[in-house]
Amino acid sequence: MNINECMEYIDSYTKSGGKITDLSRAQGLMDRIGNPEKRLKFVHIAGTNGKGSTLEYIAGALQKAGYKTGKFTSPFILHYNDRIRINDDEIDDESLCQLAETVKEKAENKEYSQFEITMAIAMLWYEREKCDVVVLETGIGGLLDSTNVIPPPLLSVITSISLDHTAILGETAEEIAVHKAGIIKGGSAVVVAEDNPDSVVEIMRKTAEERGAEFVEKADYIPAADGGLFSPLIYNGVTVKPAMAGVHQYYNAGTALTACLYLRKKGFDIPDDAIIGSIRTSQVKARTQYIDGEPPVIVDGGHNPSGVGMLSLMLMYLTSRNRKIYAVMGMVASKDHVSCVRTIAEHCEKLFAVDGFAPNSVPKEDIAETADFLTETETGTLEECVEKAKVLAVENNGIVVVCGSLYLASEYLNKIK
């Protein structure tokens, strides 16, 4: 199997596969490939927003402490391989092809999802490469997410929970929290991000108690003074400024700090300088990614009201310092594009609407119509709109913001940047 045949095989599966009501399909696939997940150790992360950043902070600290650390994320940003990594290395094409061949030989003719096939390949690679620990991000939800076939992890981590995938997970943060709490397992422990509402925290605390899991209290850190685009925290008298921008990074970094200190208590030798160093250096592409230049560009894949709301706080900060915002925005139809577009448009000098970056992208005319009573709008191709936005930003002390969808962010980073 060469790389083209490999990707053709993976792409032959749909994103969601057949309908599921339990984990038997994913578990059956793991059984058929020899249950590599049973010979690995995990930190399991679920949440609506912040999973990717929190994963990078935790995995980075483990890596800096000398542990061979697997990273499983979704979706990919630049290309398929970047969702399966060990330390700083993506799975190579040769290994991907070999392991996809193994999965193809073992898998029965079932309606697997592409995510399940990807997870099977990743688990085989992590086991083959003898990872000390794998930091594992869920896809959607937790209870019925295929990653939940793993045995009790070293630690479960619940990041910020808000409304997303409501058709699958529920209409309220509390209903969604019940799904996310599905990754909490007996004999393990759970860390919950402190920016969750009390009702969500109580669901997690009660679930931990019912299942015999330890509820880990927040580590001893506090906010530092205004860090501009960044949100530093103070830990052990040291000011730690995250490498990633945004108010929410204070909470993501704090959640990771709490998780790392728990792992230390359980025998992992993770010194403070590894934790601090990871927070100060870890970056995630397309998550409020700040690209310095003339003009600067912020690339953000936030696609739900909470994620877009966090980006808007950054834009509010920038406009308060006389920086003009020129947004290039597109969204997919499965998201609440009306509220998200309005949230961004309020801060923009001009909003350029684009489509065509995903099969279900909202027509650019609809994006523009939603925004045009709040700011000046224009439509065009991604390339045209980015170029026009950059010209205006250079002329007017501005910043270009590419936002609204991870698919859009990926297309920008792959084809334009």
Side-chain angles (χ1 to χ4, degrees), residues 301-323:
H303 48 250
N304 55 52
S306 179
V308 170
M310 286 297 179
L311 174 60
S312 77
L313 291 175
M314 178 186 290
L315 303 186
M316 191 184 304
Y317 174 87
L318 290 166
T319 55
S320 73
R321 281 148 180 81
N322 300 316
R323 303 301 298 269

Side-chain angles (χ1 to χ4, degrees), residues 268-403:
F268 282 78
D269 184 13
I270 312 174
D272 280 354
D273 61 358
I275 302 171
I276 292 169
S278 178
I279 294 171
R280 285 176 170 169
T281 60
S282 294
Q283 301 252 20
V284 183
K285 290 183 176 67
R287 264 74 166 195
T288 325
Q289 182 181 355
Y290 184 85
I291 303 171
D292 203 6
E294 189 59 35
V297 178
I298 294 171
V299 184
D300 187 72
H303 48 250
N304 55 52
S306 179
V308 170
M310 286 297 179
L311 174 60
S312 77
L313 291 175
M314 178 186 290
L315 303 186
M316 191 184 304
Y317 174 87
L318 290 166
T319 55
S320 73
R321 281 148 180 81
N322 300 316
R323 303 301 298 269
K324 290 182 167 55
I325 306 300
Y326 298 93
V328 178
M329 191 169 189
M331 295 195 69
V332 297
S334 58
K335 306 301 179 183
D336 181 5
H337 75 274
V338 173
S339 66
C340 291
V341 170
R342 288 176 178 170
T343 297
I344 297 301
E346 289 177 349
H347 306 289
C348 292
E349 197 73 12
K350 185 169 184 176
L351 187 145
F352 294 87
V354 299
D355 59 16
F357 52 86
N360 61 335
S361 59
V362 176
K364 55 182 179 286
E365 294 80 10
D366 292 354
I367 297 285
E369 183 180 352
T370 301
D372 66 8
F373 72 98
L374 292 166
T375 188
E376 184 183 351
T377 63
E378 186 174 337
T379 63
T381 68
L382 179 58
E383 292 84 351
E384 291 168 347
C385 290
V386 166
E387 186 58 35
K388 290 179 180 179
K390 284 185 173 181
V391 169
L392 289 170
V394 169
E395 292 174 350
N396 298 287
N397 188 36
I399 292 178
V400 175
V401 179
V402 180
C403 63

Side-chain angles (χ1 to χ4, degrees), residues 10 26 39 69 74 80 94 163 198 213 260 320 362 366 370 379:
I10 292 168
R39 294 176 291 279
T69 307
S74 65
Y80 179 85
E94 183 179 355
L163 300 184
D198 291 344
C260 289
S320 73
V362 176
D366 292 354
T370 301
T379 63

Side-chain angles (χ1 to χ4, degrees), residues 15-16 46-51 74-75 115 137-142 144-145 160-180 287 301-307 331-337 340 360 404-407:
K15 286 188 176 180
S16 57
T48 308
N49 295 304
K51 295 192 297 291
S74 65
F115 188 87
E137 181 184 328
T138 59
I140 296 175
L144 296 180
D145 188 81
S160 175
I161 291 177
S162 61
L163 300 184
D164 199 7
H165 301 291
T166 52
I168 300 171
L169 303 179
E171 297 291 337
T172 68
E174 290 74 23
E175 289 176 346
I176 292 171
V178 171
H179 278 271
K180 308 291 186 184
R287 264 74 166 195
H303 48 250
N304 55 52
S306 179
M331 295 195 69
V332 297
S334 58
K335 306 301 179 183
D336 181 5
H337 75 274
C340 291
N360 61 335
S405 169
L406 277 170
Y407 298 108

